[in-house]
């Protein structure tokens, strides 16, 4: 259950802060660990040096108690939490941390590659979370393995685990990063049919945002991107289609302009906490010592009063990154998407939150 009174109070506080020009986060994203068992080329956690990642885990991952201390700080500002990684389910204390977030009334969305879900008590897990976001870029074995850098055996394990979510009635939706390797199933719309067959309640999808620290691109060519966007928009209009959690404006802008548009970056609306407890201001693209603050040492207010947030006022580096685009949109875009079906998705699991937001 989502605490409606808590949610309304925090939304009111956030709105008041905005009215007087004070920026504060409203959503929390916790990157729980430096380790991931996958090799996705679009993600810094996809590094092939897994031994090196484990060294980072041992030396830099926060302890259980340190994470709890950060949860306490952030919960005074944020209405919702997202836990991700690395792969969050790889932490031995994963369930303890999820239960703690629940105990301080922080609703939880878990983002996972689903490869380790068979090791978790799913009936227990669903008591403490609202949704699981399954990172399933492709529903076909070959492109999935190419995008994720894993074997066919891992693909089978993931699809089996996704079916376990359905068997245990755990609410889940699919998230896909569209690269040059998995465009066809969005053009022919089979991704949506196969996602439904795997029990997905909804789908979220955005194009890959190429990394600045590598010398390759995973983006499809502009013609293919346009074909994908046109097909997705067509699918959205079909009766009985799966709800899509990204508004049509995202795809319309890419068709018309070759990229997304926004006046001012909204990255400040979320607090993204790295596995070592740090926050990069304004984001990971500006990773230098003077822009890194520790939430173990500083308060949310102190970090959000940092002058580096001014960088986000004029930065438009992200061309197709869905989370940045969405957070940077006018309120009317959120409202339209809510009316279009996002409210229904939330209401399936948390009717009291859906009522509060509406």
């Amino acid at each position: 259950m989502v605490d409606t009174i808590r949610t309304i109070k925090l939304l009111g506080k956030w709105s008041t802060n905005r009215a007087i020009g004070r920026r504060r986060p409203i959503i929390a994203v916790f990157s729980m660990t430096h380790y991931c068992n996958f090799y996705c080329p679009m993600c810094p956690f996809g590094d092939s040096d897994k031994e090196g990642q484990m060294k980072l885990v041992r030396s830099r991952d926060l302890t259980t108690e340190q994470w709890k201390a950060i949860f306490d700080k952030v919960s005074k500002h944020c209405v919702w939490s997202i836990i991700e990684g690395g792969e969050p389910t790889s932490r031995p204390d994963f369930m303890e941390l999820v239960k703690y977030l629940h105990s301080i009334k922080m609703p939880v969305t878990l983002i996972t590659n689903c490869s380790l879900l068979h090791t978790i008590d799913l009936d227990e897990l669903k008591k403490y979370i609202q949704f699981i976001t399954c990172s399933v870029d492709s529903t076909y074995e070959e492109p999935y393995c190419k995008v994720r850098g894993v074997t066919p055996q891992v693909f089978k394990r993931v699809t089996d685990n996704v079916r376990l979510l359905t068997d245990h009635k755990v609410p889940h939706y699919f998230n896909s990063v569209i690269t040059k390797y998995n465009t066809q199933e969005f053009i022919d719309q089979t991704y949506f049919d196969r996602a439904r067959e795997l029990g997905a309640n909804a789908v979220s999808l955005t194009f890959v945002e190429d990394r600045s620290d590598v010398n390759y691109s995973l983006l499809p060519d502009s013609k293919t991107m346009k074909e994908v966007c046109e097909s997705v928009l067509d699918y959205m209009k079909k009766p009985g289609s799966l709800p899509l959690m990204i508004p049509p404006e995202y795809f319309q802008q890419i068709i018309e302009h070759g990229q997304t548009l926004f006046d001012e970056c909204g990255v400040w609306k979320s607090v993204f906490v790295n596995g070592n407890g740090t926050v990069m201001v304004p984001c990971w693209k500006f990773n230098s010592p003077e822009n890194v603050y520790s939430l173990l040492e500083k308060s949310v207010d102190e970090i959000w009063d940092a002058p580096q947030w001014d960088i986000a006022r004029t930065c438009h580096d992200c061309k197709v990154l869905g989370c940045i685009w969405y957070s940077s949109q006018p309120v009317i875009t959120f409202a339209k998407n809510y009316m279009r079906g996002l409210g229904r998705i939330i209401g399936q699991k948390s009717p009291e939150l859906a009522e509060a937001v509406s």
Side-chain angles (χ1 to χ4, degrees):
M1 294 285 288
V2 175
D3 188 323
T4 308
I5 295 176
R6 173 186 177 275
T7 301
I8 292 172
K9 284 182 177 178
L10 288 175
L11 286 172
K13 179 181 176 182
W14 186 76
S15 298
T16 300
N17 278 329
R18 286 205 70 181
I20 61 176
R22 182 185 295 137
R23 299 180 172 207
R24 292 296 183 267
I26 192 69
I27 300 294
V29 183
F30 302 119
S31 180
M32 304 292 290
T33 177
H34 291 84
Y35 175 74
C36 183
N37 56 336
F38 277 31
Y39 301 85
C40 311
M42 63 279 198
C43 176
F45 296 111
D47 192 335
S48 60
D49 182 11
K50 297 305 178 186
E51 184 177 339
Q53 280 191 348
M54 289 308 300
K55 288 180 181 178
L56 284 176
V57 167
R58 290 188 288 269
S59 63
R60 297 188 186 178
D61 268 16
L62 295 183
T63 65
T64 306
E65 295 309 312
Q66 285 175 322
W67 267 122
K68 288 179 180 179
I70 284 179
F71 293 164
D72 287 338
K73 281 187 178 182
V74 172
S75 67
K76 294 176 174 60
H77 295 267
C78 296
V79 300
W80 201 279
S81 66
I82 298 168
I83 54 177
E84 57 174 38
E87 176 48 46
T89 59
S90 69
R91 282 189 66 114
D93 59 356
F94 166 73
M95 280 298 299
E96 181 178 351
L97 291 174
V98 169
K99 289 179 180 179
Y100 188 79
L101 281 167
H102 182 269
S103 74
I104 60 173
K105 301 181 179 180
M106 278 282 277
V108 176
T109 295
L110 165 65
I111 299 180
T112 172
N113 61 32
C114 299
S115 64
L116 302 175
L117 290 180
H118 61 289
T119 67
I120 295 170
D121 184 339
L122 296 178
D123 289 324
E124 184 74 3
L125 178 63
K126 71 181 181 183
K127 298 176 185 177
Y128 303 104
I129 65 169
Q130 273 57 49
F131 305 100
I132 291 182
T133 302
C134 304
S135 296
V136 180
D137 299 316
S138 174
T139 57
Y140 293 91
E141 180 184 292
E142 183 179 353
Y144 178 92
C145 293
K146 195 164 189 176
V147 173
R148 292 278 160 175
V150 296
T151 64
Q153 290 75 22
V154 173
F155 173 75
K156 184 178 186 305
R157 168 61 71 187
V158 168
T159 53
D160 286 347
N161 284 352
V162 169
R163 290 188 176 95
L164 282 177
L165 294 178
T166 301
D167 293 343
H168 289 265
K169 296 181 172 58
V170 183
H172 60 284
Y173 66 88
F174 279 15
N175 180 71
S176 175
V177 177
I178 304 173
T179 69
K180 58 187 178 183
Y181 301 127
N182 61 336
T183 55
Q184 184 55 43
E185 61 199 281
F186 296 101
I187 293 173
D188 63 25
Q189 300 181 0
T190 55
Y191 180 93
F192 306 109
D193 295 333
R194 292 165 69 90
R196 189 192 295 275
E197 290 170 6
L198 287 167
N201 304 121
V203 170
S204 178
L205 56 147
T206 66
F207 287 98
V208 64
E209 183 76 25
D210 278 334
R211 293 165 56 185
S212 58
D213 59 337
V214 297
N215 59 0
Y216 55 79
S217 173
L218 296 173
L219 262 179
D221 61 73
S222 57
K223 179 177 179 293
T224 304
M225 288 178 68
K226 185 176 180 181
E227 288 181 40
V228 169
C229 291
E230 289 172 342
S231 181
V232 170
L233 290 172
D234 173 70
Y235 178 79
M236 284 181 164
K237 298 173 184 175
K238 292 185 175 180
S241 60
L242 277 176
L244 265 64
M245 300 182 72
I246 293 291
E249 289 88 346
Y250 172 85
F251 303 100
Q252 291 164 350
Q253 288 177 13
I254 292 175
I255 290 172
E256 295 173 16
H257 306 283
Q259 65 177 67
T260 59
L261 305 175
F262 53 87
D263 292 331
E264 184 179 319
C265 180
V267 67
W268 58 271
K269 297 173 187 174
S270 300
V271 50
F272 186 95
V273 187
N274 295 303
N276 61 356
T278 59
V279 176
M280 296 180 191
V281 180
C283 72
W284 58 272
K285 288 194 173 187
F286 299 91
N287 181 14
S288 57
E290 66 272 16
N291 295 339
V292 178
Y293 294 82
S294 172
L295 256 179
L296 293 173
E297 301 170 359
K298 302 279 188 181
S299 68
V300 171
D301 285 326
E302 287 174 315
I303 295 174
W304 257 252
D305 284 337
Q308 293 94 323
W309 287 109
D310 285 342
I311 297 171
R313 294 181 185 272
T314 56
C315 180
H316 290 81
D317 284 358
C318 295
K319 305 303 182 185
V320 293
L321 188 57
C323 58
I324 292 297
W325 175 84
Y326 204 3
S327 69
S328 307
Q329 293 305 295
V331 173
I332 189 65
T333 302
F334 288 95
K336 285 181 179 177
N337 198 44
Y338 187 83
M339 295 301 293
R340 193 177 290 114
L342 186 56
R344 176 161 54 89
I345 299 167
I346 294 173
Q348 289 173 356
K349 177 66 178 177
S350 305
E352 65 284 349
L353 179 61
E355 182 179 349
V357 175
S358 60

